[in-house]
Amino acid sequence: MKKNLMKKAVATGLVLTMVMGGASAAFAKGNDHDDRGKGNNNNSYTTSINNGKNNGKGNISGNIQIRINFDDLKGAQWAMRYIASLASKQVFEGYEDGTFKPDKSVSRIEAITAAVRLMGLREQAESATEMATKLNFKDADKIPAWAVGYVAVALENDLFTESDDSVQPNKEADRLWATTLLVKALKLESEAKAKMNTQLTFKDAKQIPAGSVGYVAVAIEKGLVDGFEDNTFKPNQSVTRAQLAALLDRTGNQMPDDQNSTAGTVNAAVYNNVLPVTKAGVTTNYVLHPDAFILRNGVKVAASAIQVGDEVKVRSFNNQVVFVEVTKMADANQSFDVVGTLNSTTVDGQGKITSISITQTINGVSQTTVYNVAANVALTGNLGNFTPTHVVELKGQNQVVTTIDVK
């Protein structure tokens, strides 16, 4: 196997578990394959999309599952964005009861599995070849059958050291161990070795072994981890699921985006669940899944909250966007100037125009967009042609039209 394979395209069924205030956890009962679609939480809603892909176990998996409103995340709102992002990459999945258990400690085998998935190697890890690997670790018999392929792939990609003779799958992952694992997943071991003599300023720096200092230094430099408010690192403290989600997502941001992810600027309001995004001068119309997770200004929002001029990262599956993160919000005074064919208008009881719909052809594709109209809108031009099928130019700010020029 190729050691440097970082972002292999994932062909297995994408299980997307997302929440309004968080998302589901991974690896229920140590086996994440068997808990798909079994969430019985009365406060969750699930829907699915047929993907028709092989799930790595010889079976055809046909669902993307989306869950929202998990009651046990009320104390972990801060982790929402990380969990949702990871869910859209198939890194975290759900427990049978639909909970996340944000404060539960993560075992080493769970962390190893998540790291391998983050590297885009899930399909390889779940292949028959990898799952049949005869591992040489002393405690190989303690590794769950479903995880053998993950350990094999982790070993092939240098996530273990030459001196590791045990996996200790059920041992709780601590901050130092998890940090080291993810620095290795980024293929930054050589940088870590070059920083072994860094003088860490944490109060408890002496608790960090000399051979691990470089890994911590790199992780801090890359923004993967930081210390606590009391200026300690707490290297031996167990990592919770919520904390692991943050670590994994920050690590994933250092890796190349996969083929299902793209970034660009929104150039028109969302209409009929279509999000137009421009990148390098080319506009692509993305169809949003009805339950797509949309994050703007740190909170989950409806598609209608996306603004023209927002810079976004979108992640799609089966030709539908399942995750949108606004990475930079549009200027509060974002202006627009668009030309299109008049579709329709709506008026209030006083006969004033309240909204206008136009159709544009972008890269050969027709896009219909609805804009709100200001109460004091200026109507100019050839007003006799202000009827459907005629060309109009709309100008305004923040998706509100202030001028309608009839051509």
Side-chain angles (χ1 to χ4, degrees):
M1 300 295 174
K2 295 182 179 179
K3 287 187 176 181
N4 294 323
L5 182 58
M6 290 291 291
K7 297 298 292 181
K8 183 174 181 180
V10 178
T12 53
L14 173 62
V15 177
L16 173 61
T17 309
M18 304 186 299
V19 300
M20 189 167 294
S24 84
F27 327 121
K29 293 185 178 178
N31 188 339
D32 58 291
H33 302 295
D34 297 332
D35 58 4
R36 295 175 182 174
K38 295 182 181 179
N40 296 317
N41 191 316
N42 291 329
N43 295 302
S44 68
Y45 169 72
T46 63
T47 187
S48 62
I49 301 173
N50 192 344
N51 59 40
K53 298 296 184 181
N54 191 290
N55 69 1
K57 297 177 71 177
N59 302 318
I60 297 299
S61 173
N63 294 321
I64 291 179
Q65 297 181 7
I66 301 174
R67 291 193 179 105
I68 57 177
N69 295 333
F70 287 82
D71 289 341
D72 71 336
L73 287 166
K74 292 178 181 178
Q77 297 282 339
W78 64 271
M80 175 185 66
R81 58 173 298 179
Y82 306 117
I83 298 165
S85 176
L86 291 169
S88 69
K89 299 178 189 178
Q90 198 191 7
V91 173
F92 267 15
E93 296 175 359
Y95 279 93
E96 291 180 357
D97 63 358
T99 59
F100 176 56
K101 296 178 175 56
D103 298 324
K104 184 178 180 180
S105 297
V106 174
S107 69
R108 287 193 175 192
I109 197 62
E110 290 175 336
I112 290 169
T113 301
V116 169
R117 289 179 180 178
L118 191 69
M119 295 169 72
L121 302 175
R122 178 170 186 160
E123 182 186 10
Q124 179 184 337
E126 295 182 1
S127 68
T129 300
E130 296 290 0
M131 291 179 70
T133 302
K134 299 299 182 183
L135 299 169
N136 292 319
F137 293 105
K138 289 180 179 179
D139 56 357
D141 60 329
K142 292 183 174 60
I143 300 170
W146 65 267
V148 169
Y150 283 100
V151 174
V153 170
L155 189 60
E156 293 160 9
N157 283 272
D158 300 322
L159 299 191
F160 290 96
T161 66
E162 292 84 350
S163 60
D164 285 332
D165 59 2
S166 299
V167 177
Q168 302 182 75
N170 299 316
K171 183 177 181 179
E172 292 184 352
D174 59 47
R175 278 171 52 85
L176 179 59
W177 184 88
T179 298
T180 302
L181 176 73
L182 295 180
V183 169
K184 290 179 179 179
L186 284 172
K187 303 296 182 183
L188 296 176
E189 191 161 15
S190 59
E191 287 189 31
K193 289 181 178 179
K195 293 180 179 293
M196 288 300 179
N197 292 318
T198 299
Q199 298 299 306
L200 299 175
T201 59
F202 298 114
K203 290 180 180 178
D204 56 354
K206 290 184 179 180
Q207 294 180 26
I208 301 174
S212 298
V213 168
Y215 290 99
V216 175
V218 168
I220 292 171
E221 180 182 290
K222 299 295 182 181
L224 306 185
V225 295
D226 49 26
F228 291 89
E229 291 182 357
D230 61 356
N231 193 32
T232 59
F233 185 76
K234 295 181 171 60
N236 301 314
Q237 178 174 293
S238 297
V239 176
T240 66
R241 291 186 181 277
Q243 292 168 346
L244 180 65
L247 274 167
L248 288 167
D249 192 62
R250 292 167 183 165
T251 303
N253 288 336
Q254 305 287 330
M255 294 181 175
D257 283 331
D258 60 46
Q259 61 180 4
N260 295 318
S261 179
T262 191
T265 303
V266 178
N267 73 350
V270 174
Y271 181 69
N272 279 347
N273 260 6
V274 174
L275 174 66
V277 176
T278 299
K279 180 180 181 180
V282 177
T283 298
T284 302
N285 290 324
Y286 291 97
V287 177
L288 297 173
H289 183 269
D291 294 299
F293 190 102
I294 302 170
L295 188 69
R296 190 176 194 272
N297 198 26
V299 296
K300 185 180 186 294
V301 298
S304 58
I306 300 175
Q307 300 290 311
V308 175
D310 279 348
E311 293 181 18
V312 297
K313 177 185 290 186
V314 300
R315 198 167 293 126
S316 56
F317 182 78
N318 250 19
N319 299 317
Q320 284 191 312
V321 172
V322 294
F323 179 81
V324 180
E325 180 178 5
V326 176
T327 55
K328 181 180 180 181
M329 293 193 295
D331 187 333
N333 297 313
Q334 180 74 31
S335 61
F336 62 88
D337 185 343
V338 296
V339 176
T341 301
L342 177 62
N343 224 8
S344 64
T345 59
T346 58
V347 296
D348 61 16
Q350 286 73 47
K352 292 184 178 181
I353 301 173
T354 57
S355 68
I356 184 170
S357 169
I358 66 170
T359 299
Q360 299 171 276
T361 300
I362 303 173
N363 296 328
V365 179
S366 293
Q367 165 72 45
T368 300
T369 306
V370 178
Y371 294 89
N372 292 323
V373 176
N376 60 344
V377 64
L379 192 58
T380 63
N382 187 355
L383 301 186
N385 286 339
F386 191 46
T387 57
T389 74
H390 284 89
V391 176
V392 295
E393 181 177 10
L394 309 180
K395 296 180 181 180
Q397 289 184 326
N398 299 331
Q399 300 183 90
V400 176
V401 176
T402 55
T403 300
I404 303 174
D405 186 26
V406 184
K407 301 299 183 182

